[in-house]
């Protein structure tokens, strides 16, 4: 797929990068990325993926825009109050790049629809705000063999990880996934929500942008994948650190004696 004159100009700063170039930009134009959640993380991730020329971007969210969202969810504006987030996010993406195809999934991800939706995409970027959905996305990506770039924030700290659990490492062990990182689902109320604990708005911009960058790397093959590692950003100390994740032989999804064979265990 040859780039036309407008695309050559629009993506010129990508094309001159030896790690991306014309072939990498063509990969972006052909790629399909699903963003789970059009909120604080999904907003900057969406904007930068659209600007980068990712050809098809799906957005799944069943919520509407509220005034308290606007402190960090930069894909939405005051005039969007009450609108479906997928609608205002799609408009924001098209203002940046009208050639990007946006697919709106105005529904919650569930055990019934997750595998069908995820399997239509090349990469999933998860920025949702609850553990149940995070575990569901993790498992769906594993069964669909789709790379997952997961991001999360809390007050002044954020983290990004890439999971390719359907692959094995140099020793033949499964690559780590979200279940290796978190373990069991935290008990309800044990981890305060963003609404309860608060979050600095600009933090979501930093972490959501990092998430978009890791998605671009997964698509183009540029640099070193974050798969198997966790990137942690401490905003108060202005400090980044990367830790290596380990596969847990007791992981119910990819362990030595897996008990999760499908998504039925996620049914409400």
């Amino acid at each position: 797929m040859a780039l036309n004159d407008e695309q050559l100009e629009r993506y010129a700063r990508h094309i001159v990068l030896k790690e991306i170039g014309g072939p990498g930009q063509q990969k972006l134009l052909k790629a399909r990325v699903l963003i789970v959640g059009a909120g604080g993380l999904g907003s900057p991730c969406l904007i930068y993926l659209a600007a980068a020329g990712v050809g098809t971007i799906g957005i799944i969210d069943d919520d509407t825009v509220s005034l308290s969202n606007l402190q960090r969810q930069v894909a939405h504006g005051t005039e969007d109050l009450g609108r479906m987030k997928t609608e205002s996010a799609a408009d924001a993406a098209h203002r940046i790049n009208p050639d990007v195809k946006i697919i709106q999934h105005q529904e919650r991800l569930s055990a019934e629809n997750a595998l069908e939706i995820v399997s239509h995409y090349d990469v999933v970027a998860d920025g949702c705000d609850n553990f149940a959905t995070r575990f569901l996305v993790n498992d769906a990506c594993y069964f669909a063999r789709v790379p997952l770039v997961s991001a999360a924030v809390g007050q002044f700290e954020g983290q990004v990880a890439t999971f390719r659990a359907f692959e094995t490492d140099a020793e033949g062990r499964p690559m780590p996934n979200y279940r290796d990182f978190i373990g069991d689902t935290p008990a309800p109320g044990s981890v305060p929500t963003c609404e309860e604990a608060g979050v600095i708005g600009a933090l979501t911009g930093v972490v959501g942008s990092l998430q978009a960058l890791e998605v671009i790397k997964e698509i183009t093959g540029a640099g070193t994948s974050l798969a198997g590692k966790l990137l942690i950003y401490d905003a108060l100390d202005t400090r980044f650190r990367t830790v290596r994740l380990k596969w847990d032989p007791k992981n119910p999804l990819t362990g030595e004696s897996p008990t999760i064979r499908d998504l039925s265990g996620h049914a409400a």
Side-chain angles (χ1 to χ4, degrees):
M1 181 177 65
L3 302 177
N4 60 39
D5 289 345
E6 182 178 324
Q7 290 172 327
L8 288 171
E9 181 176 357
R10 180 184 287 272
Y11 307 120
R13 303 304 188 273
H14 275 177
I15 294 169
V16 298
L17 294 170
K18 65 180 179 63
E19 294 85 355
I20 297 182
Q25 189 59 53
Q26 290 175 330
K27 290 179 181 179
L28 289 168
L29 291 167
K30 294 176 182 177
R32 299 172 59 89
V33 176
L34 176 67
I35 297 177
V36 182
L41 294 168
S43 289
C45 187
L46 166 68
I47 295 301
Y48 275 109
L49 292 181
V54 171
T56 301
I57 302 175
I59 312 168
I60 183 163
D61 200 309
D62 67 344
D63 199 8
T64 57
V65 180
S66 63
L67 188 58
S68 63
N69 297 152
L70 304 185
Q71 166 254 13
R72 65 201 176 281
Q73 299 183 17
V74 294
H76 318 295
T78 303
E79 68 279 4
D80 295 315
L81 293 177
R83 292 183 71 193
M84 293 297 298
K85 288 184 178 179
T86 58
E87 294 178 356
S88 54
D91 287 348
H94 282 145
R95 282 194 294 271
I96 295 292
N97 192 345
D99 291 336
V100 172
K101 179 181 179 182
I102 303 294
I103 300 175
Q104 298 183 41
H105 301 277
Q106 295 183 353
E107 56 189 316
R108 284 190 74 84
L109 211 61
S110 68
E112 291 72 32
N113 65 18
L115 198 56
E116 169 66 20
I117 292 174
V118 166
S119 63
H120 284 88
Y121 293 90
D122 302 312
V123 183
V124 173
D126 181 20
C128 72
D129 60 359
N130 66 87
F131 286 104
T133 302
R134 287 186 178 278
F135 278 106
L136 174 61
V137 173
N138 176 79
D139 296 356
C141 286
Y142 170 73
F143 288 120
R145 300 182 65 84
V146 173
L148 168 61
V149 180
S150 177
V153 293
Q155 293 188 321
F156 291 93
E157 185 175 279
Q159 58 196 30
V160 183
T162 297
F163 300 119
R164 302 181 67 99
F166 49 88
E167 297 179 346
T168 55
D169 62 18
E171 284 73 42
R173 295 170 300 199
M175 293 288 287
N177 64 73
Y178 189 71
R179 290 183 177 276
D180 294 301
F181 169 42
I182 295 297
D184 296 329
T185 304
S190 62
V191 179
T193 64
C194 171
E195 183 178 359
E196 295 167 338
V199 61
I200 188 73
L203 173 65
T204 63
V206 173
V207 177
S209 298
L210 288 169
Q211 184 180 29
L213 182 55
E214 293 304 318
V215 170
I216 291 170
K217 288 167 58 182
E218 289 298 310
I219 294 169
T220 63
T224 302
S225 172
L226 194 58
K229 292 172 283 188
L230 176 72
L231 176 67
I232 302 170
Y233 172 53
D234 184 333
L236 287 181
D237 286 340
T238 318
R239 182 167 60 104
F240 285 93
R241 60 191 177 101
T242 304
V243 298
R244 187 167 295 278
L245 300 175
K246 293 183 179 180
W247 168 67
D248 181 1
K250 297 181 180 179
N251 185 317
L253 182 68
T254 60
E256 294 175 342
S257 301
T259 56
I260 300 175
R261 303 292 183 179
D262 54 37
L263 301 181
S264 60
H266 293 276

